[in-house]
Every structure is written in structure tokens, then in C-alpha cells.
Amino acid sequence: MALILGIEGSCDETAAAVLSGETTVLSSVVASQLSVHGKYGGVVPELASREHLRSIVPVVREAMQRAAVTFDDLDAIAVTSGPGLAGALLVGLTYAKGIAFSTGKPLITVNHIEGHIHAVVLEARQKGTPVEFPALAMIVSGGHTHMFAASAAGSYQLLGKTRDDAAGEAFDKVGKLLGFGYPGGPVIDKLAPYGNPKAVKFTIAKMKSNPLDFSFSGLKTAVLRWSQANAVDEEVRVRKALLKTDPSPALEQWLAVTPQRTLDVLASFQHTVIEEILNHAEMAAEGLEGIRSIIISGGVACNAGLRLAAAKAGLGVPVHFPSPGLSTDNAVMIAAAAVPKFDRGIFAGMEAAAQPNLTLAN
Ligand code: KG4
Ligand code: ZN
């Protein structure tokens, strides 16, 4: 059974994990940079690179210690090579190369998007209900909104993707706009059940050339227009002041500074995003002959409203979500995606480059 160290650092989390075989997670460490980027309302690439540099050595050391293994015990070092922020990717890749070079162990480069898919594949195996193929794989995160037809794990065809903002980016922009800080997704998720999802009618334009493509920027603009029409400046100021005194307010604190009309707009916004995701899943699934399961992964897959709506939607085949810890960026998924590559001897050389725009399939 292969012992693989996974390293992830494509955006704002520095993560390392040790995986034994296909499903035994010996350790998983994630150092979040939320406190660094939060006050800027989004990820600042230069700060992300600096934080990765600070964290990479202690994070990998902790993952190795928790797993009680040494570099000599490893069979391979897996690392995200793209897509993501160039400077951030470079830190993980360079460090992984350093370990591979000094230990003589093989280096495996992993596509971050494939990692998100493997988070689900791994957990489904752990539960004894493996993902059956062909599958529809949806990645809904801060950086990506992609749908793939997967005839097997490792064999993908792109069906549709966002033309502008990613689903998580829409959550983050709406959160920032209304004074809920960064990231917007988790707080909107918590507050949405207190609002009326039908209160504000948001419409999303259909993509003419490919109906399976997504577009979320118009929705964000619609929320902006709503906020201008409803003079929310004062309540936004109060929420920003709250965030200054407490960077992660509790639900009650948020509710105390959020009028009903804003809760309604959050609920309506989230409802529209969820509908859009599930309508696309349904449309894509109808077009895929013999489809046996649906994978929904990436940070937005944490969304409780999305999970509930997916369960109710009756999509006809099992829908697999990762557990919340493996929905957002982590290194377990990177090690898991490396296992089939290890089995087939697909290794990278020291010349492997960071690929900020790496795609999974066209
Ligand atoms: O997968 P991830 O950690 O990073 C990327 O690869 O982009 O996803 C982060 C994104 C952020 O946009 C965040 O707002 C969103 O996932 N997110 C959520 C929730 N938790 C995180 N969106 C909606 N509901 C959530 N509960
Ligand atoms: Zn991600």
C-alpha cells in the first residue's frame, strides 16, 4: 500500500496530508489564511505567497508527525501544480520538489480540480458506497464552477463552466457588498434559513451557445442594484464595525445587525444559486447516457441549503457530497488524486512547472 504525502497550496490554504493506500487518512493539516485576507475582502495574491512560505514547513512537519511517519517511509510526494495563484502554487511545488530530490522519492503533480473530485471518490469508498461511473462531476468553489462527464475517475470531458464569476465568488462578492466580510459563503449559508427565498425574484440569463455554461456576475449586479435601491449603507456600516470587534461573529450577533429585508435578499440570492446549480446538474445528467452518480464538490458543496435541495430534487441517481472538511481546500484530496497516478507510474520531473491556468479537460 502506497504511503503518499499530499501538499496543497493553490490559493489561501496551506495544507499537507498523509494517505496510506486509497482510503486511510493518517493525517490532514490545513492552515487557513482567512485572518490575513479577511480584512481585504478577498485573497491578496502577494500575501498568499508570503503566508504559504511561512506555513509550508511547519504544516508538512505537523502532518508527518501526526501520521507518525518519516520522509523515508513515503512512496511519493504529491503536490498541486495548478490551477491557482502562480506565486502560491510555486511555493508548494518547489517545496515538494525539494523533498522528492533529497529523498529520491517520486514526485506526482495533481490538478486541483481533480483533487476536489477525488475528495468525494475517497470518502464514498470509505463509506462502502463507491462512486459509480459514468458520473457527472460538478466543482463549485471560489475559483471554479465546472461540470464534467467522468466516464471513470481520471477520464473527463468538460460539459460546461462559468463564463464569468465562480459560484463561490458570487457568494463572496455578495457577502462583501453587504458587509458580511470574507468569505461570504459560510455566513450567507447560516443566515439564509432566516429569510424568505421567494422574497426577491432574481433571474439568471440562459447561456445561448452552451446551456450548460454558468454565469453569476449578473446575479451579483442584481444584488448590488437591490442594495442601492434599499439604502443599506447604515446597516452595512454596523456589520463592518461588528467585524472589526469580532472577526467571526456568532449567528445571534449577525442576526442582531441584519434586518429582515436583508435576510430575505440573502435567502433569495442563495436560492437562485442553488437552483442554477441543480438545474444544470439535471440538464447535464439527462444528456449523459447510462449515468450512475453525481459528484458535487468544492467549497460551495458545504452549503447546507444546496445539500438539502439536492436531496429533495430527486435527480434519479445517488448524489455524492464530500464531508465539509474535505469540501474546501485540503491536501487529502491531492494525495487521493495521486494514488492512480502512482499505480500507473505517472511521475513528474524536476522541471515540472506551476500552471496557474491548468485545465482538467476541454
Ligand atoms: O474549494 P475552496 O476552499 O477554494 C477554491 O478552490 O476556490 O472554496 C472556497 C469557496 C469560497 O468562495 C467560499 O465562500 C465558498 O467556497 N464556501 C461556501 C460555503 N463554504 C465555503 N459557499 C456557500 N456555502 C458555504 N457553506
Ligand atoms: Zn479548491
Side-chain angles (χ1 to χ4, degrees):
M1 264 202 304
L3 193 68
I4 298 183
L5 166 67
I7 297 176
E8 155 64 29
S10 63
C11 190
D12 60 346
E13 332 268 3
T14 315
V18 179
L19 181 68
S20 170
E22 286 184 331
T23 53
T24 308
V25 179
L26 298 183
S27 65
S28 174
V29 179
V30 180
S32 168
Q33 302 177 3
L34 276 189
S35 57
V36 175
H37 302 288
K39 52 182 167 291
Y40 301 101
V43 178
V44 183
E46 288 78 6
L47 295 183
S49 310
R50 196 184 67 188
E51 290 307 306
H52 283 304
L53 270 175
R54 274 197 186 142
S55 307
I56 187 89
V57 173
V59 164
V60 170
R61 189 184 297 137
E62 195 176 334
M64 297 296 287
Q65 279 171 354
R66 282 198 207 165
V69 298
T70 66
F71 286 144
D72 281 336
D73 297 327
L74 296 173
D75 291 299
I77 294 98
V79 63
T80 308
S81 60
L85 300 170
L89 289 166
L90 209 54
V91 174
L93 187 61
T94 307
Y95 189 58
K97 280 183 190 173
I99 302 172
F101 185 74
S102 59
T103 58
K105 309 282 177 179
L107 176 73
I108 300 175
T109 52
V110 172
N111 183 311
H112 180 84
I113 300 175
E114 186 167 25
H116 277 297
I117 295 173
H118 274 269
V120 177
V121 172
L122 174 141
E123 289 193 315
R125 275 204 190 115
Q126 283 177 335
K127 288 182 210 148
T129 51
V131 173
E132 299 199 31
F133 292 91
L136 170 69
M138 294 187 95
I139 314 303
V140 279
S141 71
H144 323 279
T145 302
H146 284 67
M147 263 194 320
F148 301 95
S151 51
S155 171
Y156 312 101
Q157 185 203 341
L158 181 68
L159 298 173
K161 62 176 184 196
T162 182
R163 298 274 188 87
D164 38 60
D165 295 348
E169 203 177 345
F171 273 97
D172 295 337
K173 286 181 174 170
V174 166
K176 183 179 179 186
L177 174 75
L178 293 174
F180 291 100
Y182 172 85
V187 47
I188 294 176
D189 188 10
K190 268 192 240 153
L191 293 176
Y194 295 87
N196 173 3
K198 302 271 165 69
V200 186
K201 267 245 154 319
F202 290 121
T203 45
I204 292 192
K206 295 272 164 288
M207 296 294 104
K208 282 204 185 94
S209 54
N210 179 5
L212 294 180
D213 275 349
F214 295 84
S215 168
F216 290 108
S217 77
L219 179 57
K220 164 202 70 194
T221 310
V223 177
L224 172 66
R225 289 219 191 88
W226 176 90
S227 70
Q228 288 162 342
N230 285 273
V232 295
D233 291 4
E234 180 53 22
E235 58 169 290
V236 167
R237 192 193 61 71
V238 172
R239 283 192 289 270
K240 283 188 176 163
L242 168 64
L243 272 173
K244 281 217 175 95
T245 59
D246 182 350
S248 49
L251 174 63
E252 292 69 30
Q253 288 173 286
W254 279 130
L255 286 171
V257 293
T258 310
Q260 190 59 46
R261 60 175 187 173
T262 303
L263 293 171
D264 287 347
V265 94
L266 294 179
S268 302
F269 160 79
Q270 178 171 297
H271 174 75
T272 311
V273 176
I274 292 172
E275 257 199 339
E276 193 66 2
I277 291 172
L278 295 181
N279 283 346
H280 276 66
E282 196 176 351
M283 240 190 311
E286 274 168 9
L288 287 179
E289 201 157 320
I291 179 182
R292 299 181 68 184
S293 43
I294 296 175
I295 292 170
I296 304 184
S297 191
V300 179
C302 282
N303 190 274
L306 173 62
R307 287 169 185 249
L308 210 66
K312 282 194 192 150
L315 292 168
V317 292
V319 183
H320 298 269
F321 282 96
S323 61
L326 288 198
S327 294
T328 49
D329 290 348
N330 65 85
V332 172
M333 68 187 199
I334 302 305
V339 174
K341 289 189 165 186
F342 179 82
D343 291 343
R344 278 183 266 140
I346 304 173
F347 302 131
M350 286 297 129
E351 72 291 348
Q355 294 174 276
N357 301 314
L358 184 64
T359 54
L360 183 57
N362 294 305

